[in-house]
Amino acid sequence: MQRRWEFRVLGSLQVIDAGRAVELRSAKQRVLLAALLMKANAPVSSYELMEHLWGEEPSGSARATLQTYIMRLRQTLDDLADRKLVRTWPTGYSIHLEDDQLDLLTFQRLRAEARRAPDLETEARLLGEAAALWRGPALDQVSSLRMEQTDVQRLNEQRWEVLERRNDAELQLGRHDQVVDELRSLVAEHPLRERFWYQLMLALHRTGQQAQALDVFRRASDVLADELGIDPNAELRALHMEVLAGSSAPVPAVQSGPSWLPPAVGDFSGRADEVARLTAGLRAGGTWTITGPGGVGKTSLAVHCAHAVRDAFPDGQLYLNLRGGEQKPVEPAAALDRLLRGLGVSGGAIPSTVEDRVDLYRDLLSDRRILVVLDNAVNEAQVRPLLPGTTSGAALVTSRAALAGLEAAHVVPLDVLPPVDALALLKAAVGEARCAAEPAAAQEIVTYCGKLPLALRVAAARLVARPHWQLAKLAGRLSDERRRFDELSVGDLDVRASLALSYDGLDESHRTAFRLLSLVDTPDFPAWVASPLLGLELDDAEDHVEALVDARLVDYAGRDALGQVRYRLHDLLRAFGREAATEDPAVALRGLFEQWLGLATRADAELPHQGVRLEPLELERFDLGDAAEWFDAEWQNVHAVITQAAALELGELAAELAVRSAAFCDLRARFDDWEQINALGLSCAPPARRPMLFQQRGILRVRLHDYCAASADFQAAQEGFAAAGDVWGEAYAWYGMGWMHEWSGRSAEAREAHREAMTRFVASGNPHGEIEVLCSLGAIERRAGGLVAGQEYLERARRVAATLGDLQSELMANLELGRLHQFTGELSESAEFLRSSLAAAQKLGDPDLAANVRLFLADTLLRSGQESLAEEQLRQAWEFFEEHDDRQGRIWVWRLRSGMATSADEALRLAALAMDQAREMGSAPEVGRSLRVLGNALERVGRAEEAREHWRLAEETLTAAGFQAEVDELRMATS
């Protein structure tokens, strides 16, 4: 029966298993779990997790340590086998939970339901349930500076916002006496939140406790004066006057000034975090800016929040569209004229200079609780004269520009909507039933609209205007990128026109940069990409990209593991750029693709290779850091470039980049990616490159234990290399065929193929290849029982590797020596060699090889009676094999754990699992080994005759495969 876990973050971090608290003793484990829970059901990048754990500069070993922490977390949560809770993604990890498994998810759901509540009673109940989930400050006792500065502050602010809303609802329902005690605690805990003072004062006033209400006002005034040097806001002052007047009637909102806000957005949805932050921030005062690209919903959010805080600004709300996206933005002088007239100044009394108008404007706003909303600002210079300049009021500014130079402004950056909120917006506009009838089409519309609010509103308007249309019809129209913007236009809502405002405002060189960047299919890019596209020096290219960021046509996407700043284009902006482009993509992108190939070629030259090495080229040394880490950072882009180059009929580029990326895929066990790029390369490669791609595919199939298909690939590679007169390549193809004979149990054929390979490696001057053959010959002799001959081969391989200083070659020699010493009974020497091999595999960043070395080390440790150490190695190996669906690795683990099992029935179960999988693989050596272990397990349960039969079959199978050493060991163990 699967266990069901519950997690709590609204207070101290708690892990609950069937009502029982589970303690996480490690501080780092608590931080890791908390970081995953903060983004439950969504991937969290490894880089972000490392920042949470170790700050902005994690050590070089941080990624490996993170993987260990993830494994231990899975172990704690009993999730090592199923991995349904903690899942692995290409970029990081995620935790997957139902709403009722995490108090934060429940809290967010209740907040959202409260906003949609049909009546005040329901709203108060839902908000009360949300508030009751809290047990103290969020993530109390979780030690992470980054989390404290982001998630913890945000969550705590949401808590107080919920309490404020709940209190308002209770007061409107007349339950004044029920909230007094809690409000007394809240003002003591949060003396600078004026809203809590107001609510307490109002509750006391409504229950006839006038003296106590006046005392509350006095205490609030003292605290605000002492701590902030300000007077109570207009809302508190107005209530104070009501109490002094002795009135017990409900206090109306005081509105003594203009109210220019546009109508509230009726179907506003999503943006819960931004709404909470802005409404709380505006009530506290200051300048707040909402920045983001065109169509992202800045105005809608600003208007929604302004309406939500109207009660906090009884002296008025001013709104002005500064038309920053148009050819003639509003000048500060004209804007001040409009604002002053709205504040009651007659035309003749308005000063002529901007400076005098600013002085008069700020004098009129002093000590008045007024909200100023400045929409569509173009830059800081336009906005600065229009800010209130007082602590009593607040300003809310929207702009496509970053407005980074606006002093003391709180910035709320806005991106496209999260998928859930985007779908909610569509449902709110079109109707829940209509979307529920075609859920897949609704999701497609959200995707084609790029989750951009303006595009979604246009799409929804078209559907509302055409009730006879199915959603699939509009989704089909939007799927055609060439006419997408024609579909996203209705009435005065036009997505193309909105995006064009930013594009048209650029000079020609920046427009060209945007168009060319939009042609590239990569998900993100570093700044250097603009250099070959535009033919500019690197600094000039970076300036062009940054100018596009300022224009909100390109987004900043963060830093990669190498510290490079990365950028990205929103899907609709990419489509807009391609629509505007007149350049031929194949011509425009060739130089960029060649540069990516050049970098990949230089990086590939520094990576370890097994089974094939490309002939050395005269290359500049790779100077962009660790080559494998560069590939990690750029991999999605390299994959995308191979795909796009093939589509643009740049076949030679696509094939060569696939060839130069294979060693990285092998090193990082990216087998699915490797298969995809290899297939693309073969689909368009020139004849001269096809043998290399066949050879690499053969190695891939070896990694996947598909030996029959691998043998065919090596045969095709050998024939192709031979026809081309490529002795170097032909040697590797023979070596690959030798591998396949080894795995198939044909030792004589394996020796012959390896000798063919050795002849060619010597002829072509390839000592690395010689070492690989020597290691394989050593392994064949070990299996055949020729331990002395095997050791001679391996010692020779080790000596050659040492002269080359090649870590990969030394690793393979040490690995085979470790396995040989295991059979000679020299277990301490075996463990020493295997630990050395494991350290080298980890240093190279090869998780596949490391997992297999752990198996052999575990076997040695078991033979020497060190079962707990063996278990640790098996646990880490199993994690890799499960993650990569490695059947052979699982078979080895099952066999070893069968021998370790304390229960005879468990030993039999594991041995049977290994046997079934070995037969399915069709590998004679694996079948023979599994028969032996199954015989051992049968003997333990008292089925001696069946055990002897399985041992007899194991002996026959291993003898036929040439594994005499294992046959001898079997005979000794069962005699």
Side-chain angles (χ1 to χ4, degrees):
M1 181 175 173
Q2 188 175 344
R3 299 163 75 174
R4 183 170 175 81
W5 296 86
E6 295 177 34
F7 304 88
R8 296 172 184 168
V9 297
L10 304 181
S12 59
L13 176 65
Q14 291 184 353
V15 181
I16 311 295
D17 176 22
R20 178 181 60 87
V22 176
E23 183 180 0
L24 293 180
R25 293 186 176 87
S26 165
K28 294 296 187 186
Q29 286 288 301
R30 291 196 297 273
V31 171
L32 174 61
L33 176 58
L36 293 171
L37 291 173
M38 285 298 96
K39 294 185 177 179
N41 302 320
V44 186
S45 73
S46 296
Y47 188 74
E48 181 178 335
L49 291 172
M50 288 188 288
E51 270 199 349
H52 280 304
L53 289 163
W54 297 288
E56 293 184 357
E57 296 184 2
S59 67
S61 62
R63 190 176 296 274
T65 306
L66 171 62
Q67 292 171 348
T68 300
Y69 285 167
I70 288 288
M71 182 272 293
R72 289 176 180 166
L73 179 61
R74 284 175 169 147
Q75 184 180 358
T76 300
L77 301 178
D78 194 23
D79 195 39
L80 275 175
D82 293 337
R83 301 202 175 192
K84 291 184 178 179
L85 269 179
V86 180
R87 302 182 187 177
T88 302
W89 295 82
T91 56
Y93 302 90
S94 63
I95 189 165
H96 285 255
L97 304 167
E98 301 295 331
D99 279 6
D100 59 353
Q101 289 181 270
L102 176 61
D103 57 359
L104 174 57
L105 294 176
T106 306
F107 177 71
Q108 291 170 337
R109 175 179 58 78
L110 291 169
R111 284 177 68 214
E113 289 179 1
R115 287 193 181 88
R116 300 190 297 268
D119 53 63
L120 203 58
E121 183 72 44
T122 304
E123 182 182 6
R125 177 180 59 78
L126 291 169
L127 291 170
E129 290 176 13
L133 293 169
W134 286 79
R135 298 167 287 107
L139 291 174
D140 199 18
Q141 299 179 348
V142 172
S143 205
S144 167
L145 180 61
R146 171 171 174 162
M147 222 172 294
E148 289 171 9
Q149 294 174 340
T150 54
D151 299 310
V152 171
Q153 289 186 11
R154 173 175 54 83
L155 283 180
N156 287 334
E157 188 59 50
Q158 290 176 5
R159 178 189 185 185
W160 310 132
E161 176 254 343
V162 162
L163 283 168
E164 287 176 352
R165 289 169 55 199
R166 191 279 314 271
N167 294 340
D168 282 339
E170 296 286 1
L171 290 169
Q172 290 180 57
L173 290 166
R175 299 168 183 162
H176 315 108
D177 55 341
Q178 295 181 24
V179 295
V180 167
D181 289 342
E182 185 176 0
L183 282 166
R184 290 187 193 278
S185 299
L186 287 171
V187 297
E189 189 175 352
H190 301 281
L192 300 183
R193 294 189 78 91
E194 292 175 272
R195 190 68 186 164
F196 288 151
W197 286 109
Y198 172 84
Q199 290 171 337
L200 175 58
M201 191 175 169
L202 181 59
L204 292 168
H205 174 48
R206 296 259 181 93
T207 55
Q209 302 178 68
Q210 313 306 329
Q212 291 91 331
L214 292 172
D215 182 61
V216 168
F217 181 79
R218 179 190 60 76
R219 287 191 290 128
S221 301
D222 290 345
V223 168
L224 294 170
D226 292 344
E227 297 292 332
L228 302 177
I230 63 173
D231 294 327
N233 62 30
E235 184 179 49
L236 272 169
R237 296 198 307 271
L239 179 55
H240 181 229
M241 295 302 295
E242 290 292 339
V243 176
L244 287 173
S247 169
S248 61
V251 179
V254 179
Q255 181 68 56
S256 59
S259 183
W260 291 0
L261 296 179
V265 183
D267 59 351
F268 186 88
S269 62
R271 306 291 193 198
D273 290 343
E274 290 87 352
V275 168
R277 185 180 176 200
L278 284 166
T279 51
L282 290 169
R283 290 182 185 279
T287 300
W288 293 78
T289 65
I290 304 173
T291 64
V296 82
K298 299 182 295 295
T299 298
S300 295
L301 176 62
V303 171
H304 177 77
C305 291
H307 277 280
V309 298
R310 282 186 64 186
D311 61 316
F313 298 96
D315 296 327
Q317 306 92 41
L318 299 171
Y319 171 88
L320 201 58
N321 185 351
L322 298 177
R323 305 191 181 283
E326 301 180 17
Q327 288 189 344
K328 291 185 178 181
V330 176
E331 295 290 338
L336 285 164
D337 180 87
R338 174 83 173 98
L339 291 168
L340 288 169
R341 290 176 188 272
L343 292 169
V345 181
S346 63
I350 295 176
S352 59
T353 68
V354 171
E355 291 79 6
D356 290 340
R357 290 182 182 184
V358 170
D359 290 342
L360 177 58
Y361 170 63
R362 289 181 176 164
D363 184 59
L364 290 170
L365 292 183
S366 64
D367 297 324
R368 296 176 72 179
R369 194 74 172 144
I370 284 183
L371 173 65
V372 179
V373 181
L374 303 171
D375 199 13
N376 292 318
V378 64
N379 55 34
E380 294 91 336
Q382 184 191 34
V383 170
R384 201 172 281 116
L386 313 180
L387 299 177
T390 68
T391 57
S392 59
L396 181 56
V397 185
T398 75
S399 178
R400 298 189 184 200
L403 300 183
L406 211 55
E407 297 83 355
H410 306 278
V411 181
V412 178
L414 216 56
D415 202 346
V416 296
L417 289 166
V420 173
D421 288 350
L423 188 59
L425 189 155
L426 185 67
K427 289 178 178 178
V430 174
E432 187 85 33
R434 200 168 171 188
C435 289
E438 297 180 80
Q443 192 60 62
E444 286 177 12
I445 291 171
V446 168
T447 301
Y448 291 134
C449 288
K451 301 183 287 293
L452 192 72
L454 175 61
L456 287 165
R457 290 191 181 281
V458 175
R462 287 177 66 79
L463 290 169
V464 170
R466 295 166 176 78
H468 55 286
W469 270 19
Q470 289 188 320
L471 270 63
K473 182 178 180 69
L474 179 60
R477 286 170 167 250
L478 291 172
S479 67
D480 185 350
E481 190 176 279
R482 295 167 299 177
R483 57 177 293 174
R484 187 171 301 165
F485 289 104
D486 295 331
E487 299 297 331
L488 293 176
S489 176
V490 60
D492 62 347
L493 297 176
D494 190 328
V495 175
R496 180 191 283 115
S498 175
L499 300 182
L501 288 173
S502 296
Y503 176 76
D504 293 341
L506 301 172
D507 62 34
E508 183 53 39
S509 67
H510 292 124
R511 285 199 293 268
T512 300
F514 172 68
R515 291 196 308 272
L516 292 175
L517 286 169
S518 72
L519 295 176
V520 186
D521 278 347
T522 59
D524 59 27
F525 57 91
W528 69 259
V529 164
S531 178
L533 280 177
L534 299 170
L536 295 174
E537 294 296 325
L538 186 58
D539 288 346
D540 290 338
E542 186 172 354
D543 288 344
H544 275 66
V545 175
E546 289 292 343
L548 296 176
V549 172
D550 292 341
R552 295 299 185 181
L553 292 171
V554 167
D555 290 333
Y556 169 67
R559 288 184 181 272
D560 59 28
L562 299 178
Q564 293 182 112
V565 176
R566 303 192 76 84
Y567 305 87
R568 62 167 174 254
L569 270 74
H570 179 268
D571 290 346
L572 278 180
L573 282 165
R574 189 191 303 275
F576 176 82
R578 291 182 174 184
E579 184 181 75
T582 56
E583 295 84 358
D584 180 345
V587 175
L589 300 180
R590 176 180 281 277
L592 170 62
F593 290 176
E594 287 174 346
Q595 188 151 337
W596 242 311
L597 173 59
L599 290 170
T601 300
R602 287 162 54 199
D604 178 56
E606 306 227 348
L607 296 180
H609 295 67
Q610 187 186 13
V612 62
R613 285 176 186 252
L614 278 70
E615 291 198 62
L617 300 173
E618 290 295 327
L619 297 172
E620 295 179 31
R621 184 168 178 79
F622 188 75
D623 57 0
L624 297 179
D626 182 83
E629 289 184 3
W630 178 85
F631 261 116
D632 281 330
E634 290 292 344
W635 177 244
Q636 289 186 333
N637 288 344
V638 171
H639 194 306
V641 167
I642 294 170
T643 305
Q644 190 174 14
L648 293 175
E649 298 184 358
L650 300 173
E652 187 174 347
L653 274 169
E656 191 63 25
L657 193 49
V659 166
R660 298 292 174 176
S661 302
F664 167 74
C665 291
D666 192 5
L667 181 69
R668 290 293 196 251
R670 286 183 169 272
F671 300 139
D672 289 344
D673 286 347
W674 190 359
E675 191 161 16
Q676 291 166 15
I677 65 168
N678 184 272
L680 282 167
L682 280 169
S683 73
C684 59
R689 229 36 181 150
R690 290 178 65 79
M692 181 57 71
L693 287 161
F694 280 127
Q695 177 73 11
Q696 290 178 338
R697 191 171 70 181
I699 298 166
L700 168 62
R701 286 174 168 170
V702 170
R703 300 289 185 256
L704 299 175
H705 313 300
D706 187 354
Y707 301 121
C708 182
S711 184
D713 280 330
F714 289 134
Q715 182 68 42
Q718 189 271 328
E719 292 170 0
F721 285 130
D726 185 344
V727 178
W728 180 293
E730 194 182 358
Y732 276 116
W734 274 109
Y735 175 58
M737 287 190 285
W739 260 1
M740 295 309 94
H741 289 311
E742 284 184 61
W743 284 109
S744 302
R746 296 189 293 268
S747 297
E749 292 90 338
R751 286 190 184 92
E752 183 59 34
H754 286 321
R755 289 184 181 121
E756 292 284 350
M758 179 64 86
T759 301
R760 289 164 176 79
F761 280 134
V762 172
S764 59
N766 188 341
H768 301 284
E770 293 178 44
I771 293 168
E772 293 198 52
V773 172
L774 289 169
C775 288
S776 287
L777 290 172
I780 292 171
E781 294 302 330
R782 166 178 56 80
R783 298 186 194 110
L787 301 180
V788 174
Q791 185 161 357
E792 288 176 357
Y793 280 126
L794 296 176
E795 291 291 357
R796 180 179 159 196
R798 192 173 176 219
R799 288 194 299 273
V800 177
T803 63
L804 295 175
D806 180 0
L807 184 61
Q808 171 82 15
S809 297
E810 287 188 70
L811 185 163
M812 298 311 298
N814 286 338
L815 172 59
E816 290 300 336
L817 280 166
R819 299 194 67 193
L820 184 142
H821 284 296
Q822 187 185 89
F823 275 88
T824 61
E826 299 165 295
L827 298 180
S828 60
E829 290 88 345
S830 173
E832 184 178 346
F833 278 118
L834 291 173
R835 285 196 173 100
S836 172
S837 300
L838 177 58
Q842 291 173 316
K843 184 176 181 180
L844 290 169
D846 190 335
D848 182 23
L849 182 56
N852 282 281
V853 176
R854 289 185 190 281
L855 284 178
F856 308 139
L857 178 56
D859 195 356
T860 292
L861 292 169
L862 282 173
R863 291 167 186 253
S864 57
Q866 301 177 72
E867 189 164 305
S868 62
L869 294 178
E871 173 56 35
E872 177 63 22
Q873 297 299 331
L874 287 177
R875 184 163 52 247
Q876 293 188 55
W878 178 264
E879 182 175 1
F880 175 84
F881 297 140
E882 274 292 274
E883 192 168 311
H884 292 82
D885 193 25
D886 187 324
R887 288 186 299 164
Q888 181 162 308
R890 285 198 296 256
I891 291 169
W892 275 77
V893 174
W894 283 328
R895 284 200 300 253
L896 290 172
R897 281 195 168 144
S898 175
M900 297 166 63
T902 56
S903 157
D905 289 339
E906 177 65 5
L908 183 59
R909 185 185 72 83
L910 292 168
L913 277 173
M915 187 70 254
D916 289 344
Q917 287 287 299
R919 283 200 176 106
E920 189 176 314
M921 271 187 66
S923 167
E926 295 307 317
V927 169
R929 290 163 175 154
S930 299
L931 282 166
R932 173 185 172 179
V933 172
L934 183 54
N936 295 345
L938 287 166
E939 183 185 42
R940 286 184 65 181
V941 296
R943 294 156 65 178
E945 189 171 339
E946 290 179 69
R948 284 192 292 273
E949 177 62 16
H950 280 78
W951 291 330
R952 185 187 66 76
L953 291 172
E955 183 176 333
E956 286 181 3
T957 306
L958 291 170
T959 299
F963 284 43
Q964 190 60 43
E966 295 185 41
V967 172
D968 293 343
E969 190 178 56
L970 170 60
R971 287 172 177 168
M972 289 179 61
T974 58
S975 60

